[in-house]
């Protein structure tokens, strides 16, 4: 059972996201701001980053974009690897409460216990994803999922206008 994030904190972060979205001049600024905000304000979000599909790559490849947290060895991830590859290839949010029990998991840090990956859609197609790791097991409850999916939606809409 996932532990619930403070609902007041989630509401506050949503308001800050809306402000960020209205102030960011580009999709790139928005994505950078989202990683900073989530990493700073959501205390269990220990690594927050975007992976975006490399334009024209064959086979398709996820490439690390803006991120906050420790450096990761996984800067390029094919779609048949990792939780990241699973989310991008299925177009579905993946929540893993215990990364040690998921054979797809690619380790970034020994401290990571749980992970959420949410696809970013642009005009109905997966363009990338928002990936969050936590040092706490089962850190991502329903309201976390909603919050991260909201971030992914804002990003997708902004990329559609880019
Ligand atoms: N754990 C991810 C790899 C990326 S790191 O979490 C930053 C995965 O299994 O795809």
């Amino acid at each position: 059972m996932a532990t619930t994030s403070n609902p007041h904190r989630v509401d506050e972060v949503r308001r800050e996201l809306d402000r960020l979205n209205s102030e960011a001049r580009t999709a790139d600024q928005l994505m950078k701001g989202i990683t900073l905000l989530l990493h700073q304000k959501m205390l269990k979000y220990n690594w927050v980053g975007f992976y975006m599909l490399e334009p024209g790559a064959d086979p398709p490849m996820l490439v690390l974009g803006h991120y906050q947290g420790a450096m990761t060895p996984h800067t390029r991830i094919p779609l048949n690897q990792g939780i990241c590859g699973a989310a991008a290839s299925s177009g579905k949010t993946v929540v893993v409460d215990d990364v040690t029990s998921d054979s797809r998991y690619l380790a970034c840090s020994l401290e990571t216990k749980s992970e959420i990956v949410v696809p970013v859609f642009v005009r109905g197609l997966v363009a990338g994803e928002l990936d969050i790791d936590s040092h706490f097991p089962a850190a991502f409850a329903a309201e976390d999922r909603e919050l991260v999916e909201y971030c992914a939606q804002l990003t997708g809409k902004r990329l559609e206008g880019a």
Side-chain angles (χ1 to χ4, degrees), residues 47 51 72 74 77 81-85 104-108 115 131 133:
W47 191 95
Y51 284 93
T72 170
H74 302 295
I77 304 176
Q81 287 182 26
I83 314 286
C84 286
R104 300 169 298 182
Y105 176 66
L106 296 172
C108 277
E115 178 163 8
D131 176 18
D133 292 352

Side-chain angles (χ1 to χ4, degrees), residues 59-139:
M61 187 67 71
L62 291 160
V63 179
L64 182 62
H66 288 294
Y67 73 95
Q68 299 295 317
M71 228 171 105
T72 170
H74 302 295
T75 55
R76 296 171 66 80
I77 304 176
L79 290 205
N80 61 355
Q81 287 182 26
I83 314 286
C84 286
S89 56
S90 66
K92 293 206 161 58
T93 295
V94 180
V95 177
V96 179
D97 286 344
D98 171 10
V99 294
T100 63
S101 68
D102 194 316
S103 59
R104 300 169 298 182
Y105 176 66
L106 296 172
C108 277
S109 149
L110 290 175
E111 288 177 295
T112 297
K113 302 286 190 298
S114 59
E115 178 163 8
I116 182 170
V117 187
V118 176
V120 171
F121 289 91
V122 174
R123 287 180 272 278
L125 296 174
V126 175
E129 60 195 22
L130 180 52
D131 176 18
I132 303 178
D133 292 352
S134 179
H135 296 171
F136 299 85

Side-chain angles (χ1 to χ4, degrees), residues 24-34 50 65-66 158-159 162:
R25 278 173 286 131
T26 61
D28 192 65
Q29 279 183 5
L30 177 64
M31 288 191 276
K32 183 174 184 183
I34 286 173
F50 282 94
H66 288 294
R158 186 56 78 95
L159 285 168

